[in-house]
C-alpha cells in the first residue's frame, strides 16, 4: 500500500478515536466520577483574610484548612453543587481521595503570587500526567475535576480549568479555562461561590459548545 495512504489512514484513525472518546462525555450512559478540585497549583493573589478583620491566613492554614474544606463542601452539599444538570447526567459518582492527597503536598513557597499564571494546555497536561488513577475505586468511564489556577481577591475573580479524563488511559478528553465570581460570607463560602458560578457557566454556556466539538 502507498506510504502516503497508510499515513493518512493512521491520522484519520487517531482523530476518530479521540472524537469518539470525547463523545463519551456526552453519552448519558457513560459513568462519570467527580475527582475533586486540585488546588496544588493555585495562586493566591491578595491577602487571604475575612473581610473587615485582621485575621489573615498564612499559606499553611490555607492548604490544611481550606483546600479540604472546599472539597468536602462540594461533596457534602450535593443538592447545591450538583454536577448532574451541569453534564446532563442521571448520576455522578464521587471519589476525591486522590486529589485530596495531592492537595496535602502543595508547595507552600509558590502558593502566593502577584498575578494570574494563565496555565497553558501543555501545563495542564503535565499536571494531569502526574496523577495516579489506580487509587480511584472506579476506573470506568470519565473522570472530571477542576484544577484551580488563581483566587484573585483584588480582581474579585477566580479561574478554574475543567478537565475530563479517560479513566482507563489518563488521556485528557477535554479541558477549558473558566472564570468565576466569588460570593458569600466567610472565606470558605466566598471562594466556593466562585466554583458555584463556574458550574452554572458550564451548564448554561460551555456544555453546548463542548458538545458541538464532539460531533
Amino acid at each position: 500500500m502507498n506510504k502516503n495512504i497508510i499515513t493518512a489512514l493512521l491520522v484519520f484513525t487517531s482523530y476518530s478515536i479521540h472524537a469518539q472518546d470525547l463523545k463519551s462525555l456526552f453519552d448519558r450512559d457513560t459513568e462519570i466520577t467527580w475527582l475533586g478540585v486540585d488546588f496544588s497549583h493555585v495562586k493566591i493573589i491578595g491577602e487571604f483574610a475575612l473581610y473587615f478583620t485582621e485575621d489573615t491566613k498564612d499559606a499553611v492554614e490555607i492548604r490544611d484548612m481550606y483546600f479540604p474544606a472546599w472539597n468536602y463542601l462540594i461533596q457534602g452539599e450535593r443538592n447545591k453543587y450538583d454536577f448532574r444538570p451541569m453534564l446532563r447526567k442521571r448520576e455522578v459518582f464521587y471519589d476525591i481521595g486522590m486529589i485530596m492527597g495531592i492537595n496535602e503536598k502543595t508547595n507552600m513557597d509558590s502558593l502566593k503570587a502577584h498575578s494570574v499564571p494563565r496555565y497553558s494546555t501543555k501545563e495542564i497536561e503535565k499536571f494531569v500526567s502526574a496523577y495516579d488513577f489506580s487509587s480511584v475505586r472506579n476506573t470506568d468511564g470519565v473522570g472530571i475535576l477542576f484544577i484551580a489556577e488563581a483566587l484573585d481577591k483584588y480582581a474579585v475573580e477566580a479561574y478554574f480549568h475543567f478537565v475530563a479524563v479517560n479513566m482507563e488511559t489518563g488521556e485528557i478528553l477535554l479541558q477549558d479555562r473558566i472564570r468565576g465570581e466569588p460570593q458569600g460570607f466567610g472565606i470558605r463560602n466566598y471562594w466556593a461561590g466562585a466554583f458555584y458560578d463556574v458550574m452554572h457557566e458550564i451548564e448554561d454556556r460551555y456544555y453546548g459548545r463542548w458538545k458541538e466539538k464532539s460531533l
Side-chain angles (χ1 to χ4, degrees):
M1 185 180 291
N2 184 284
K3 184 177 180 180
N4 291 334
I5 295 176
I6 294 174
T7 301
L9 285 173
L10 288 173
V11 171
F12 176 77
T13 302
S14 176
Y15 174 80
S16 298
I17 291 172
H18 176 75
Q20 185 61 42
D21 284 347
L22 181 56
K23 285 181 180 179
S24 68
L25 177 63
F26 306 100
D27 184 339
R28 289 183 64 84
D29 294 325
T30 299
E31 290 189 6
I32 300 293
T33 301
W34 167 247
L35 301 173
V37 184
D38 180 352
F39 288 102
S40 64
H41 306 284
V42 74
K43 302 303 179 186
I44 304 296
I45 301 169
E47 288 299 323
F48 209 71
L50 294 170
Y51 286 100
F52 310 115
T53 75
E54 299 299 323
D55 187 23
T56 301
K57 305 297 181 183
D58 63 23
V60 173
E61 286 181 287
I62 295 169
R63 180 191 65 185
D64 295 348
M65 182 184 300
Y66 291 102
F67 289 179
W70 285 317
N71 271 291
Y72 285 135
L73 177 67
I74 293 164
Q75 178 169 276
E77 296 188 11
R78 299 187 191 185
N79 289 333
K80 179 176 181 179
Y81 301 93
D82 193 347
F83 297 102
R84 293 173 299 176
M86 184 182 89
L87 296 175
R88 281 62 161 176
K89 299 294 181 184
R90 291 188 293 268
E91 186 175 11
V92 173
F93 301 97
Y94 289 71
D95 191 338
I96 63 174
M98 178 188 72
I99 293 298
M100 294 287 281
I102 291 170
N103 287 339
E104 289 175 359
K105 300 174 183 177
T106 299
N107 183 354
M108 296 294 91
D109 295 334
S110 62
L111 187 60
K112 293 192 176 184
H114 298 290
S115 61
V116 176
R118 299 191 65 87
Y119 291 128
S120 67
T121 298
K122 287 188 176 181
E123 287 174 307
I124 296 299
E125 290 174 348
K126 181 180 178 181
F127 299 157
V128 173
S129 70
Y131 294 162
D132 179 11
F133 291 103
S134 66
S135 63
V136 180
R137 291 190 300 273
N138 181 16
T139 55
D140 294 328
V142 175
I144 61 169
L145 65 138
F146 281 70
I147 296 178
E149 179 180 279
L151 306 179
D152 189 341
K153 186 174 179 180
Y154 296 138
V156 192
E157 62 185 9
Y159 287 94
F160 298 89
H161 289 257
F162 172 88
V163 180
V165 183
N166 181 317
M167 293 291 284
E168 291 185 358
T169 66
E171 175 193 9
I172 294 178
L173 306 179
L174 175 71
Q175 76 94 9
D176 211 339
R177 180 177 185 266
I178 306 171
R179 175 184 178 274
E181 294 185 5
Q183 54 190 298
F185 297 98
I187 292 175
R188 187 197 69 164
N189 293 337
Y190 183 72
W191 292 109
F195 181 86
Y196 183 76
D197 186 41
V198 167
M199 289 182 65
H200 280 275
E201 284 289 300
I202 292 173
E203 181 178 352
D204 297 339
R205 297 174 53 204
Y206 284 83
Y207 181 89
R209 299 178 191 173
W210 296 339
K211 190 171 183 179
E212 285 184 7
K213 289 182 180 180
S214 72
L215 300 177

